[in-house]
Amino acid sequence: MAPSSVCIGPGSLELPGGTCASFAITGYPREVGAGWLEPLLTYPGRLDVSLHIEPVPPLIAAQRLRRQIARLESAARSDAQAGRLVDFTAEAAAEDATDLASSLARGHGRLFRVGLYLTVHAFDAADLEAEVQQVRALAASLLLDAQPTTFRALQGWITSLPLAQDAIRQRRTFDTAALSASFPFASPDLNAPIGETGVLYGVNIASSGVVVWDRFAQDNHNSVVLARSGAGKSYFTKLEALRLLYHGVQVCVVDPEDEYRRLAESTGGTHIALGAPQVAFNPFDLPTDQAGDVLTRRALFIHTLVAAMLGEPLAPAARPVLDRAVLAAYAAKGIGSDPSTWSRPAPLLADLVEQLAIGKDPESTAIAERLAPYVTGSYKDLFAKSTTTRPEGHLVVFSLRDLPDEVKSVGVLLALDAIWRKVANPADRRPRLVIVDEAWMLMREAEGAKFLNRLAKSARKHWAGLTVVTQDAADLLASDLGRAVVSNAATQILLRQAPQAIGSVGDAFGLSEGERAFLLSAERGEGLLCGGNAGDRAAFAAISSQAEHEVITTDPAELLDNGDGTEIDPL
């Protein structure tokens, strides 16, 4: 791993592949902003930036600050007694030392000894001289005083290597705020605030920094993810959801293709495969953790559900008949307006059909006959018994892959109702994320389209965010609902686009010619983050750890081999 030979000069080193020179930063600006080292990190040449940090124990830090304040105040008194002009540099240093001591005494921060070192690389001595001049000019523009490590070139080069060895020990005291601003944990292209739920989206393609975004710190918490098939949109969405789970955000997913099952099983979430064998979901269940007249709201939802089962709106004459039958089905189970009865076992759809069959009027008989396929016919499995898995937990995934097309609208309605009850529950306020993958499928259903429209406009009021993921960007932008979803999304993720859709996407998001060309040629996982403000845009490449990748990947070639040559079930 070490070079075969090193020629040490007074100010530079000659290595087998070129030459290098090192610098120690001895002077710093009085105030710095977040990401102030970004110009050095994005330098177009080969420049190694090394930051060495050593925490100072609070007791020692307090003693040093007291001595420093005493020296500065003593020098100020001496100058005043001698009639010399005020040293404004010393006066500013005294104020800063006093502020640091006050912050340290209150426990608002700590002190650190920090060393910042630069190593410039080039192919030969002539190129090195030019590179050195450019780097020193760049450092001077940042109010940094870069001094060469003369006669210590070897020590300077070793200090810049990832060995955690500071052989120069040219340190400067930083407080917590200044040190945190020194880290490149922000993109220079993004000015949006970052709160407590910031998520790493990936690496900034234009620099060596990272792209961290907090959707819950924006004007609204919604996002849209648009990409062509195979561009990595579901992979990116699962990666964001997994990292939001670390922050305690509750995630609910409408999954048409059963791509989130492995994520739910790996994180201890709840996976409900509607339409799968032995999976039942009772729409009559009453939530016991919500305030208000829960029974009335559930009865009104049964009206909507029955209309979806019948495939048409209820006739005016059928509504009172159905309402009486719903309440009678609950009453037969001992459930009434008294909240103490709401915890009793809820009736099933068969109980409702039985109450309708008891009625003598033609409307109730007609409804009972048309509901027969869901009770005794080929669609009965989903409603034949009590709910097998309740939609509870930090991650809830509703898989729709096993639902036949004939009952898909009914299954979608059940999933969306369960999610909306969680989001709109005033007794359980927490940050939530609702993910609708392959949203173009959901938008074909009338109730699904209504849900997206309602949640996109009102999610923020309930401390929730909506993520709409789709590959049909043109269809989304061509409809009024699609445009409403996009306009109410403060976070917009654009991955690789098809040439046929780049025109409509570029016009809708105001993309430049360069941004359009980037989206046409982007690799899998590369995309453009567009924030709520026009200036918040960053090109990034999504990155994941090996553990995260194993949880969220759906590549069949990877799922067939778990790494030791044995096959695993491709979930």
Side-chain angles (χ1 to χ4, degrees):
M1 298 299 292
S4 57
S5 63
V6 175
C7 182
I8 305 174
S12 63
L13 289 180
E14 292 185 12
L15 304 171
T19 181
C20 66
S22 300
F23 297 86
I25 303 300
T26 59
Y28 294 83
R30 183 168 182 261
E31 295 181 358
V32 295
W36 64 282
L37 287 178
E38 188 68 25
L40 292 175
L41 300 173
T42 57
Y43 180 73
R46 183 182 174 187
L47 175 64
D48 296 337
V49 181
S50 178
L51 193 68
H52 293 259
I53 304 169
E54 178 185 351
V56 180
L59 181 60
I60 297 177
Q63 294 174 352
R64 290 180 179 177
L65 282 174
R66 282 196 296 269
R67 288 198 296 267
Q68 181 69 7
I69 294 173
R71 283 196 297 266
L72 293 172
E73 290 181 350
S74 176
R77 292 195 188 98
S78 177
D79 291 343
Q81 292 173 0
R84 289 189 290 267
L85 295 177
V86 176
D87 186 352
F88 295 104
T89 302
E91 185 177 0
E95 293 178 0
D96 291 343
T98 303
D99 293 340
L100 280 176
S102 177
S103 176
L104 190 65
R106 290 179 171 84
H108 294 167
R110 295 186 59 183
L111 294 186
F112 302 85
R113 299 289 292 171
V114 178
L116 179 60
Y117 308 97
L118 311 175
T119 297
V120 185
H121 294 263
F123 291 106
D124 53 41
D127 292 341
L128 180 63
E129 181 64 25
E131 292 288 335
V132 164
Q133 295 300 327
Q134 294 182 17
V135 170
R136 297 194 70 177
L138 177 60
S141 68
L142 299 175
L143 300 182
L144 297 175
D145 186 9
Q147 294 296 328
T149 56
T150 306
F151 297 109
R152 291 191 294 174
L154 179 61
Q155 290 85 344
W157 177 61
I158 292 175
T159 300
S160 65
L161 295 177
L163 303 175
Q165 297 292 328
D166 186 358
I168 301 297
R169 300 195 65 82
Q170 187 67 41
R171 303 293 184 88
R172 171 70 179 268
T173 301
F174 277 49
D175 64 347
T176 303
L179 180 60
S180 62
S182 303
F183 282 83
F185 288 164
S187 173
D189 304 320
L190 300 175
N191 299 316
I194 302 296
E196 298 180 355
T197 54
V199 169
L200 172 65
Y201 275 14
V203 179
N204 194 318
I205 294 178
S207 68
S208 58
V210 295
V211 176
V212 177
W213 187 258
D214 187 357
R215 64 190 300 153
F216 289 95
Q218 311 310 314
D219 295 337
N220 62 69
H221 315 325
N222 301 336
S223 71
V224 292
V225 182
L226 304 181
R228 64 182 296 180
S229 178
K233 58 184 181 301
S234 295
Y235 188 98
F236 167 80
T237 304
K238 286 182 282 187
L239 185 62
E240 182 190 20
L242 178 61
R243 290 171 176 171
L244 283 174
L245 289 174
Y246 301 153
H247 293 287
V249 177
Q250 188 181 57
V251 180
C252 300
V253 184
V254 179
D255 180 15
E257 299 295 337
D258 201 28
E259 294 185 280
Y260 291 75
R261 177 153 66 108
R262 295 181 66 247
L263 176 62
E265 294 176 349
S266 301
T267 58
T270 301
H271 179 264
I272 303 176
L274 298 178
Q278 307 302 321
V279 174
F281 198 87
N282 185 14
F284 289 82
D285 289 337
L286 294 176
T288 58
D289 58 345
Q290 295 186 11
D293 194 348
V294 175
L295 179 60
T296 299
R297 292 200 297 267
R298 193 84 314 237
L300 294 176
F301 170 72
I302 298 300
H303 285 230
T304 304
L305 179 65
V306 170
M309 291 178 172
L310 300 180
E312 61 182 10
L314 291 173
R319 293 175 184 172
V321 173
L322 178 61
D323 190 64
R324 287 195 297 268
V326 170
L327 296 179
Y330 277 108
K333 297 293 184 179
I335 300 174
S337 57
D338 186 2
S340 62
T341 63
W342 295 346
S343 59
R344 296 173 180 174
L348 301 176
L349 184 61
D351 298 320
L352 173 62
V353 173
E354 180 181 351
Q355 293 297 329
L356 289 169
I358 295 176
K360 301 301 183 181
D361 54 279
E363 292 291 344
S364 62
T365 303
I367 296 176
E369 292 177 352
R370 296 180 65 181
L371 290 179
Y374 296 95
V375 177
T376 59
S378 55
Y379 306 152
K380 67 177 181 179
D381 291 342
L382 188 58
F383 309 99
K385 53 185 178 181
S386 301
T387 300
T388 53
T389 304
R390 293 191 175 274
E392 298 174 352
H394 54 277
L395 172 62
V396 181
V397 177
F398 291 91
S399 176
L400 310 179
R401 187 183 64 178
D402 296 323
L403 278 175
D405 292 339
E406 293 78 8
V407 295
K408 183 151 291 188
S409 60
V410 177
V412 167
L413 182 60
L414 291 175
L416 298 183
D417 171 70
I419 293 174
W420 180 253
R421 279 190 287 168
K422 285 183 171 295
V423 170
N425 183 9
D428 183 19
R429 282 286 183 256
R430 67 175 73 178
R432 289 185 171 92
L433 176 64
V434 180
I435 298 174
V436 180
D437 207 340
E438 301 296 347
W440 61 274
M441 295 184 181
L442 195 64
M443 291 176 62
R444 295 185 304 183
E445 309 291 343
E447 292 300 328
K450 292 179 182 178
F451 172 80
L452 287 181
N453 190 25
R454 176 173 59 174
L455 189 57
K457 294 182 178 180
S458 61
R460 184 182 180 276
K461 301 176 183 178
H462 302 289
W463 202 5
L466 169 66
T467 295
V468 174
V469 186
T470 184
Q471 60 185 2
D472 283 347
D475 292 345
L476 181 69
L477 299 174
S479 65
D480 294 337
L481 171 63
R483 288 192 294 270
V485 171
V486 172
S487 62
N488 285 281
T491 304
Q492 299 154 358
I493 307 296
L494 305 177
L495 303 179
R496 184 171 184 174
Q497 300 294 319
Q500 298 81 359
I502 191 62
S504 58
V505 172
D507 294 340
F509 294 94
L511 302 180
S512 64
E513 291 299 326
E515 291 170 337
R516 299 186 189 207
F518 166 71
L519 292 180
L520 287 174
S521 60
E523 299 292 336
R524 179 179 295 182
E526 293 182 352
L528 182 67
L529 166 62
C530 303
N533 300 322
D536 285 337
R537 293 195 173 182
F540 70 95
I543 57 174
S544 63
S545 66
Q546 182 63 29
E548 290 173 325
H549 176 76
E550 293 174 356
V551 170
I552 63 182
T553 183
T554 54
D555 188 347
E558 296 183 19
L559 296 178
L560 284 174
D561 193 335
N562 65 1
D564 59 2
T566 59
E567 291 188 348
I568 60 176
D569 180 22
L571 301 180

